[in-house]
């Protein structure tokens, strides 16, 4: 089934009811949105001459036109390539060239990034700025009927955020995204047509994936007017759009949880905050639960199996009298209803509970493969299982804890050290705001453990002795960092993931920007 079917159906059933909003203002009803989607689809096929299966890249900030363009692409039988809007021009060029995008839909803010690429990239035929005259021309086109798409037809090329290596385009089919959406209803929450989803994080990533089940059910897609959500804005939006859910990276949840505007505020309109995409440290989660109550759900996933591997439900979060509650909260949860999850050794043999190995996933949500990369696809999907590159272990109850990305594993003196456990230990120090641990090549030990620490804004910065003590109280002596660097901020990508590659480059180049 074509995912754009949802928009067409809502256009009939929910006439006059809001489909999109910026802040408190409705920007499109469902019938208007369905009309725009069919017209833009007609414009892409007719005016721009695209054929079924052609790729259309979306490079823009979150805005209603983003969703309209995405569903128009599907309506027309084309493939969407949502590009992280904060990428450097050369990174954008790589994604456009690799995906063979024929058209880019962008906005004023990003037009100057793509404009110059029009001449350079052979396959790129047009850049459409939305809103604007080009977009209006598409809206004025003759609508086309919904294109017939099957489960195996590609819908979304999800270029992985590239914290390691060059980005690859996970090919997500209409069937994969349908499964991810159904699995939201199975494991996270039911959604009704009076509910809403707030796009506070980039639509090219988690927010886009979790937006889908909301569109399926006719909920309103709300875009924060500020573009950078804070506590006061959230409180206002909850009053206007009750039944509201949103996806956020752990850093954003942490920031919001500490926002004084939320203390004592009426949060009854808040349904679910879905967090994930990067580790949430227990100390931060406890603060978030104190602010938001049992409205948090964690997901662990990746572009290759769109945000669907395991999860910690709202009920898991609420069960604080469970004897293993703390362990569970420090992990990533239980396998989602629609997937099988295994932890295996280097030969892909399943490991018993408690032993750490690579996490494998199998199910209908798993990507068809990487776009135009048969070898990488065969490698990632060997034996019929997606090899996530994440290292984790299952407990006796079947809950998964992640240790690390396999590439981040530090081997020092022949011992395996998972940066995550060192980070958890350092985070227990109240003076630490965030931390990232990496390995540095070491002639004696093979690698040595290095920690980059950001101190909380006020109060004295933690000393090396304090940090060492926090580690020694919790983890083996050999795991303790040999070096600590106090820095002003950690380098992160647009999706809130710490760029460990960059930290290693700092070390290799001997240019660590130590805190002032
Ligand atoms: P991406 O495909 O860019 O979303 O990156 C996916 C990767 O992010 C996963 O393979 C994990 O390494 C990491 N990740 C995703 N969700 C979580 C989570 N809940 N906790 C820790 N790491 C996560």
């Amino acid at each position: 089934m074509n995912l754009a079917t949802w928009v067409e159906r809502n256009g009939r059933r929910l006439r006059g009811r809001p489909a999109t909003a910026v802040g408190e203002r409705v920007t499109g009803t469902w019938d208007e949105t369905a009309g725009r989607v069919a017209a833009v689809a007609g414009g892409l096929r007719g005016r721009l001459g695209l054929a079924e299966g052609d790729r259309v890249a979306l490079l823009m900030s979150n805005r209603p036109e983003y969703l309209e363009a995405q569903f128009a692409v599907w309506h027309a039988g084309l493939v969407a390539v949502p590009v992280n809007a904060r990428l450097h021009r050369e990174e954008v060029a790589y994604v456009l060239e690799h995906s063979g995008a024929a058209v880019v839909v962008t906005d004023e803010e990003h037009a100057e990034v793509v404009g110059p690429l029009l001449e350079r990239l052979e396959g790129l035929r047009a850049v459409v700025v939305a809103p604007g005259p080009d977009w209006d021309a598409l809206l004025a086109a003759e609508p086309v009927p919904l294109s017939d798409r099957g489960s195996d037809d590609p819908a979304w090329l999800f270029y992985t955020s590239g914290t390691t290596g060059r980005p690859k385009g996970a090919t997500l089919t209409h069937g994969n995204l349908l499964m991810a959406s159904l699995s939201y209803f199975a494991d996270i929450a039911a959604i009704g047509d009076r509910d809403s989803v707030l796009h506070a994080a980039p639509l090219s990533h988690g927010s886009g994936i979790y937006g889908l089940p909301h569109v399926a059910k006719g909920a309103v897609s709300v875009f924060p007017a500020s573009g950078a959500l804070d506590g006061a804005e959230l409180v206002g939006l909850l009053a206007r759009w009750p039944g509201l859910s949103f996806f956020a990276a752990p850093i954003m949840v942490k920031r919001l949880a500490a926002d004084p505007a939320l203390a004592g505020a009426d949060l009854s309109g808040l349904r679910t905050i879905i967090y994930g995409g990067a580790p949430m440290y227990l100390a931060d989660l406890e603060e978030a639960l104190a602010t938001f109550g049992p409205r948090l759900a964690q997901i662990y996933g990746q572009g290759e199996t769109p945000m669907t591997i395991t999860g910690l439900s709202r009920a898991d979060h609420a069960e604080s009298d469970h004897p293993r509650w703390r362990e569970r909260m420090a992990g990533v949860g239980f396998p989602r209803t629609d997937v099988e999850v295994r932890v295996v050794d280097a030969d892909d043999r399943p490991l018993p509970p408690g032993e750490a190995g690579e996490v494998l996933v199998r199910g209908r949500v798993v990507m068809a493969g990487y776009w135009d990369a048969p070898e990488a696809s065969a490698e990632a999907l060997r034996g019929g299982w997606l090899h996530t590159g994440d290292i984790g272990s299952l407990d006796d109850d079947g809950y998964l804890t992640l240790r690390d990305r396999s590439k981040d594993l530090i081997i020092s003196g022949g011992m395996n050290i998972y940066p995550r456990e060192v980070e958890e230990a350092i985070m227990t120090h109240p003076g630490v705001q965030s931390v990232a641990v990496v390995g540095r090549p070491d002639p004696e030990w093979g690698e040595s453990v290095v920690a980059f620490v950001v101190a909380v804004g006020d109060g004295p910065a933690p000393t090396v002795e304090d940090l060492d003590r926090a580690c020694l109280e919790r983890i083996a002596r050999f795991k303790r960092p040999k070096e600590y660097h106090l820095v002003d901020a950690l380098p992160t990508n647009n999706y809130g993931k710490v760029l460990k590659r960059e930290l290693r480059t700092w070390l290799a180049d001997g240019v660590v920007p130590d805190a002032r």
Side-chain angles (χ1 to χ4, degrees), residues 342-345 349-359 391-396 400-401 403 418:
R342 268 185 185 172
V343 167
V344 300
D345 67 12
R349 282 185 304 240
L351 287 167
E355 287 192 33
E358 186 173 7
V359 179
I391 302 294
S393 60
L394 290 163
D395 70 10
D396 282 330
L400 183 71
T401 295
R403 307 287 162 191
Y418 297 107

Side-chain angles (χ1 to χ4, degrees), residues 242-457:
L244 184 129
S245 301
F246 63 94
F247 169 80
I251 352 187
M252 188 171 165
V253 177
K254 176 178 166 126
R255 194 168 48 73
L256 275 177
D259 192 321
L262 290 178
D266 175 11
L267 299 181
S268 59
L270 180 61
R271 173 74 48 86
T272 314
I273 299 178
I274 308 117
Y275 67 90
M280 171 73 113
Y281 299 102
L282 192 54
D284 294 341
L285 178 59
E286 285 181 313
E287 274 176 39
L289 284 168
T291 302
F292 296 113
R295 297 187 175 90
L296 292 151
Q298 184 186 175
I299 58 89
Y300 155 54
Q302 52 179 210
E304 289 85 343
T305 170
M307 309 306 157
T308 309
I309 302 176
T310 59
L312 277 173
S313 65
R314 287 180 304 183
D316 283 322
H317 284 84
E319 210 184 350
S320 54
D321 54 355
H322 190 283
R324 278 190 295 285
W325 184 82
R326 292 182 70 79
E327 282 158 63
R328 282 188 180 172
M329 293 302 112
V332 292
F334 197 72
R336 299 285 296 274
T337 304
D338 58 322
V339 293
E340 293 168 87
V341 175
R342 268 185 185 172
V343 167
V344 300
D345 67 12
D347 298 316
D348 280 0
R349 282 185 304 240
L351 287 167
E355 287 192 33
E358 186 173 7
V359 179
L360 307 193
V361 186
R362 185 165 71 172
R364 281 171 60 185
V365 70
V366 172
M367 67 166 180
Y370 291 115
W371 186 258
D372 197 19
E375 281 172 23
S377 306
E379 168 77 13
L381 296 170
R382 63 189 185 274
W385 290 79
L386 171 71
H387 290 64
T388 62
D390 290 318
I391 302 294
S393 60
L394 290 163
D395 70 10
D396 282 330
D397 302 341
Y399 280 72
L400 183 71
T401 295
L402 283 191
R403 307 287 162 191
D404 255 297
R405 303 281 302 169
S406 46
K407 295 180 195 83
D408 289 340
L409 177 71
I410 301 169
I411 306 182
S412 185
M415 305 291 273
N416 285 3
I417 301 169
Y418 297 107
R420 174 76 189 258
E421 53 187 341
V422 185
E423 289 161 2
E424 287 279 6
I426 294 174
M427 277 303 286
T428 60
H429 188 292
V432 175
Q433 208 238 324
S434 50
V435 62
V437 165
V438 298
R440 172 209 271 284
D442 182 294
E444 192 182 347
W445 299 99
E447 277 181 300
S448 64
V449 178
V450 182
F452 292 85
V453 177
V454 180
V456 291

Side-chain angles (χ1 to χ4, degrees), residues 1-24:
M1 130 176 187
N2 187 332
L3 297 173
T5 305
W6 293 331
V7 173
E8 193 184 57
R9 286 203 299 232
N10 292 341
R12 291 180 216 281
R13 187 173 74 87
L14 301 171
R15 262 175 235 279
R17 298 262 302 276
T20 58
V22 173
E24 299 184 10

Side-chain angles (χ1 to χ4, degrees), residues 421-429 435 437 449 451 464-482 484:
E421 53 187 341
V422 185
E423 289 161 2
E424 287 279 6
I426 294 174
M427 277 303 286
T428 60
H429 188 292
V435 62
V437 165
V449 178
V464 168
E465 293 71 37
D466 293 341
L467 296 171
D468 256 352
R469 197 167 326 109
C471 290
L472 289 172
E473 279 169 9
R474 288 168 185 88
I475 52 173
R477 179 166 281 271
F478 70 88
K479 296 180 181 171
R480 189 173 49 128
K482 298 256 182 321
Y484 293 91

